[in-house]
Amino acid sequence: MSPSVHRTYHAWTSTVAYTKTAWFDAIGGLESPRHTGGMTKEGHIRRLLRSVPSSASGIPSYLLAHFAKSQLWHASTLLFGFFLTEISRVAPDAMGWILTASLLLNGLVDLALGKWWGQRVDSLGAAYRMQARAAPLICACFLLFCLTPLVWEAARPLWALGTLLGFRASYPLLDVAQNAAPSLLPITARERRGLIAHRNIASGIAGILVCAVAAPLLIQYRDPWGYLLWAAAVASLACASAWRLPRAGGRVAPLRPVLYHATPASVPFSTVLAALAGVTFAGTVFRATEPYYAAFVGHNAALLLWTAIGATVSQPLWLWCRNRWSIEAMLAAAAALSLLSAAVLLGTQRASTASAIAVGLGFGAGSGGLWLMLWSAMADRAAQGNATRHVGAFTCVSKLAQSAAMLLTGQVLALSSYRTALRDPFSLPSLLMVGMLLAIAGICIALALDVAFRRTRSDGRSAPRRPADPRVRVRGRLPG
């Protein structure tokens, strides 16, 4: 086993071991008897497996499907730009327009499907069936796009545009239904946060695999055939896991809406969407530029890999903090991590592996906390009813922000000799990466100030903690 492969394997196994133990620690397995009633860690795990959705036989299958789907998505957002310009030899500005058009279509379909499915997908079983039906079409379009380098060179931009439009137009059929699932379970807000953190870990592990396997095939080896074989394996897993969901999930009756307990410090859904747009735009620009930085500055995929690791291993810690800290404190911590990453990226040792690890962990952990907070806020609102309508609006805003980000990224790459310019910390593409980290920190600070203002406006007193959602009685049973 080569040293690089051995390091990748060690990082992967360490991440899995950490998240497996830290997950249970974060949700209360190691709390003091004052909070646990004297229960042992094993007792807490057994209680969790009885009450939190991961106990249901359909939820592990759901998380596997989310993991498989996330590999498709991470590859499309992280590597497709680099794949087009460096492997398929498509011009950077054309790359930007191709990805912009496809993401714009994706966002509009998200919004339309979320609205149309509002009263139709009202149970976990219905969401599972939607995913199973959509998976083959999505995976076929994904594989056709991966054939772009093998097409006649003059036809590659049109081929890439056509196949990617097909992928983006069909992806919401899988994505909207799957993202609505946490809001379709009869659970409390705290338990919902736990499930979303669990989802984020599954997605993070998918991101680690993309960065550890697919990214080196493109960045270090420029191997389109190896990438195509990887894509075929990922597409097969996505189909198989989606087809298993209806059988694993059992029959679930429609849920009654869960009462949303607003407090004076609650962030309006419009504010959540505005923060989502800003964070997604900045994060997408940074992540889309990462493969170029890795190829022409670091000469390896360390930055991509450690970003994925940071986002994954931080989830249990963020969940622990969310259940104990104020939102303002969490946002301040996320801002500090982004500022730290920006400072390292401007340093004289920015090309070193140690700098890549520091930047990756800081950006990954900071963005991981933000995603947990934003997704939890959306899921709590979606649990009131019309889950897919809320999810559709949320993901639509995210895709539109990504669309704008890819347009900017393509234009910046087209205007600069990015293969050499990225080595200069004060070149346009390098400063763009730093600027996006600073923007994320600024959004965190602005959101924290907004929450603090809402607290103080309530008669000068801190808002009381939001009571846990009452458990909702449903007809039928949970999956399994």
Side-chain angles (χ1 to χ4, degrees), residues 57-356:
S57 63
I59 297 303
S61 297
Y62 165 76
L63 292 173
L64 175 62
H66 185 70
F67 160 80
K69 180 211 74 168
S70 295
Q71 290 197 84
L72 300 179
W73 185 252
H74 287 311
S76 71
T77 56
L78 183 61
L79 298 177
F80 274 11
F82 187 90
F83 176 78
L84 286 176
T85 59
E86 308 306 310
I87 308 300
S88 305
R89 300 300 176 186
V90 174
D93 53 347
M95 174 274 292
W97 283 108
I98 289 170
L99 294 179
T100 295
S102 66
L103 285 163
L104 178 62
L105 175 64
N106 194 327
L108 295 177
V109 176
D110 276 353
L111 186 64
L113 275 182
K115 184 177 181 180
W116 186 56
W117 282 352
Q119 299 296 332
R120 294 173 176 84
V121 180
D122 59 354
S123 71
L124 205 60
Y128 284 176
R129 289 190 293 273
M130 289 294 181
Q131 295 173 63
R133 294 167 186 164
L137 176 60
I138 297 164
C139 293
C141 293
F142 180 81
L143 290 175
L144 288 172
F145 175 82
C146 293
L147 290 173
T148 301
L150 309 179
V151 175
W152 180 41
E153 187 168 356
R156 288 175 189 172
L158 285 177
W159 176 274
L161 177 61
T163 55
L164 194 53
L165 286 174
F167 173 72
R168 301 291 192 197
S170 56
Y171 188 79
L173 297 170
L174 175 68
D175 191 47
V176 173
Q178 189 169 99
N179 288 334
S183 301
L184 296 172
L185 283 166
I187 55 179
T188 67
R190 179 166 178 159
E191 290 168 341
R192 193 175 301 112
R193 284 197 298 270
L195 177 57
I196 290 172
H198 217 158
R199 268 173 42 108
N200 290 348
I201 290 173
S203 175
I205 294 173
I208 291 172
L209 286 180
V210 169
C211 295
V213 180
L217 290 173
L218 299 181
I219 293 172
Q220 294 172 247
Y221 303 110
R222 310 298 172 93
D223 181 5
W225 285 104
Y227 184 76
L228 182 60
L229 289 175
W230 170 84
V234 168
S236 299
L237 178 61
C239 282
S241 59
W243 289 338
R244 175 178 167 76
L245 279 176
R247 295 191 297 272
R251 298 181 63 185
V252 187
L255 304 181
R256 298 175 185 173
V258 175
L259 179 62
Y260 177 71
H261 295 277
T263 71
S266 296
V267 179
F269 192 56
S270 58
T271 303
V272 172
L273 294 180
L276 171 72
V279 170
T280 302
F281 176 85
T284 300
V285 171
F286 185 89
R287 296 235 70 188
T289 314
E290 268 187 323
Y292 298 96
Y293 181 94
F296 304 119
V297 180
H299 304 291
N300 58 53
L303 178 59
L304 287 80
L305 179 61
W306 285 99
T307 297
I309 291 174
T312 304
V313 301
S314 66
Q315 285 301 301
L317 179 60
W318 283 119
L319 181 63
W320 184 90
C321 293
R322 180 62 186 90
N323 291 331
R324 291 160 178 81
W325 290 7
S326 67
I327 296 177
E328 300 96 300
M330 290 188 65
L331 289 167
L337 289 168
S338 293
L339 292 173
L340 176 64
S341 298
V344 175
L345 202 56
L346 283 172
T348 56
Q349 301 298 317
R350 62 196 294 269
S352 67
T353 301
S355 293

